[in-house]
Amino acid sequence: MKFVGATGAALCSLLLQQQATTYVHATTSGSGSCHAGSKITPSSYHGSDSAGEIASSNTAVTINGVALNSAAPNSLATSTTHTLTISNDVGTFRGFLIRVSSPDGSVDASTVISPSNDNVSKGGASWDATIMGNSQVPISCAAGVSAVTHVDINTKSEVRAELVLDQDAALDLEITVMTDTGYTYYYSKYTLQFETPNTDPTSTPSVMPTTATKPPTAAPVTLTPTNSSTPSLNPTTSSKPSLNPTTTFRPSLDTCQSSDPMYQCSVALSDDVTFFYNFTDSNSTHLHARLHYTGQAYLAWGVSKKGYMVGSQAVLGVLDNDDEFSVGKYDLTRYSSSGVELMDLSRQTLQGASFTQSSEDGTTLTFSKLLTEADEIPIDPIGENTFIWARGG
């Protein structure tokens, strides 16, 4: 399993938009311009118009492993380096231009995007383009604009770039991708909404489902886990993702330890937060778990694809506006309190959920969650999973 720790909520946003006509040119080494828009000049080798949205070319565009959503807003945390990836699992592409700008010119975006692999991409505010293998032409973006483009027109299946902005703002992200044929290209435009992460626990939604106040009655699960060649209770720390520390571990049942008799295993997520859980196997239907904090605050635990909060689902325990403890399931859609969205009642499927708090015993979030649920990231009962967690101040 993987655990990603955070001491507060944080989140991000992208809105798909269309754009009017201006011109860009692709060359054998770097785009021949840094202009905005979907059109290429009629005399261009590539033709005069795009073949459609990037998604129609089987090409995926993600940030921090989360697909850019054309139908719903997403957001990006400020002062954090985000990884943008363009990939195609069934084909290849050759040239590309990834351009970032302020819609009204009020924000300096000249350093927002930069290449993450110098062997595949280059750019920033300027670069040299090679026109059909001949002369080098210096290319500069307009003031306040930055972009990343190709180093060569060899076939590629993936490219990456890095994004970072230290202030709240909405920026335009325009991406043009030239496919393997050389003649066909695709274009999409998005809006990146950079937001300062909100860590105020009092700003979480006050509408909560009614939940039980007693712990789960399910007995610990008996199973035989898949043996690992490197079982360990001592997590190794990874540097990715950059937003939060990540710990990865795969303990065996024989070496697992827990101070809570209701649970077979535990892992210390921090000096004051411990996660207790029962082993699962291929016949399991639920994860039985408990999150304990030695102080008093809200607690949250969630399932994530790659350790990022946007696109994840979480179990949140809080003291609501009526001074009652409550537990609910939420979708995490943005790096702000507005993106902590309570799921519909039909999706509130937790069993034996409770949230308790006292000065003597601290704070405890207890729940049993189905491993597989519609429209949620599944929990692999015998493989590695990525979990995120948070506690209030």
Side-chain angles (χ1 to χ4, degrees):
M1 295 182 186
K2 292 182 180 178
F3 289 89
V4 177
T7 56
L11 285 235
C12 120
S13 176
L14 311 157
L15 297 175
L16 183 65
Q17 296 180 349
Q18 299 296 327
Q19 167 81 2
T21 302
T22 46
Y23 299 102
V24 293
H25 307 272
T27 61
T28 57
S29 176
S31 173
S33 71
C34 187
H35 294 294
S38 63
K39 297 284 186 180
I40 295 181
T41 54
S43 60
S44 167
Y45 173 77
H46 301 289
S48 60
D49 204 353
S50 73
E53 296 288 336
I54 290 176
S56 63
S57 68
N58 295 316
T59 301
V61 182
T62 64
I63 291 183
N64 303 334
V66 178
L68 302 197
N69 194 332
S70 62
N74 302 281
S75 63
L76 294 173
T78 58
S79 305
T80 299
T81 300
H82 303 279
T83 300
L84 184 149
T85 304
I86 302 174
S87 60
N88 191 319
D89 294 333
V90 297
T92 57
F93 54 93
R94 293 181 180 273
F96 60 90
L97 176 67
I98 310 170
R99 184 182 189 273
V100 179
S101 62
S102 172
D104 59 5
S106 61
V107 177
D108 182 4
S110 60
T111 60
V112 170
I113 190 168
S114 59
S116 60
N117 188 335
D118 291 337
N119 294 325
V120 177
S121 58
K122 62 183 178 181
S126 63
W127 60 86
D128 288 335
T130 303
I131 308 300
M132 300 307 293
N134 296 317
S135 59
Q136 292 278 324
V137 178
I139 305 298
S140 297
C141 295
V145 177
S146 56
V148 167
T149 187
H150 52 279
V151 169
D152 55 50
I153 55 172
N154 295 333
T155 56
K156 307 167 183 64
S157 60
E158 180 178 290
V159 295
R160 296 187 178 189
E162 294 182 344
L163 297 160
V164 64
L165 183 65
D166 295 333
Q167 66 182 91
D168 289 12
L171 298 180
D172 286 340
L173 170 67
E174 299 177 81
I175 302 178
T176 303
V177 176
M178 307 294 176
T179 61
D180 198 24
T181 63
Y183 291 97
T184 307
Y185 69 94
Y186 297 83
Y187 169 89
S188 289
K189 181 180 178 181
Y190 311 88
T191 297
L192 307 182
Q193 184 65 53
F194 286 87
E195 300 174 313
T196 301
N198 190 331
T199 59
D200 180 6
T202 63
S203 63
T204 56
S206 59
V207 180
M208 303 286 177
T210 302
T211 58
T213 58
K214 62 181 181 180
T217 57
V221 179
T222 301
L223 54 87
T224 303
T226 303
N227 291 329
S228 168
S229 60
T230 58
S232 174
L233 286 177
N234 298 316
T236 57
T237 301
S238 167
S239 60
K240 185 181 180 180
S242 60
L243 181 62
N244 300 310
T246 302
T247 56
T248 303
F249 68 100
R250 190 188 295 273
S252 69
L253 186 58
D254 293 336
T255 60
C256 210
Q257 298 179 357
S258 173
S259 60
D260 189 326
M262 283 288 293
Y263 300 92
Q264 296 164 313
C265 303
S266 67
V267 59
L269 303 180
S270 67
D271 293 339
D272 50 14
V273 178
T274 303
F275 181 67
F276 299 90
Y277 65 100
N278 284 330
F279 261 92
T280 54
D281 63 12
S282 57
N283 296 318
S284 299
T285 59
H286 288 75
L287 171 68
H288 305 293
R290 174 171 291 169
L291 195 62
H292 180 260
Y293 168 49
T294 57
Q296 298 184 60
Y298 76 84
L299 286 175
W301 174 95
V303 184
S304 173
K305 287 185 176 180
K306 295 192 176 182
Y308 296 97
M309 298 187 72
V310 171
S312 303
Q313 296 86 42
V315 178
L316 180 63
V318 299
L319 181 65
D320 64 22
N321 290 343
D322 296 325
D323 290 331
E324 295 182 359
F325 295 124
S326 189
V327 181
K329 288 169 59 184
Y330 293 78
D331 286 313
L332 306 181
T333 61
R334 303 183 64 160
Y335 278 97
S336 64
S337 59
S338 62
V340 184
E341 300 176 359
L342 182 67
M343 295 183 187
D344 293 338
L345 185 60
S346 62
R347 297 177 64 194
Q348 298 296 339
T349 55
L350 298 175
Q351 296 183 8
S354 67
F355 183 67
T356 61
Q357 196 172 86
S358 70
S359 57
E360 296 81 12
D361 300 326
T363 305
T364 302
L365 173 63
T366 304
F367 59 90
S368 293
K369 185 187 183 304
L370 286 165
L371 300 179
T372 303
E373 303 190 64
D375 301 320
E376 296 186 29
I377 300 170
I379 300 173
D380 187 342
I382 60 175
E384 188 174 272
N385 296 277
T386 301
F387 297 146
I388 58 176
W389 65 277
R391 65 165 175 81

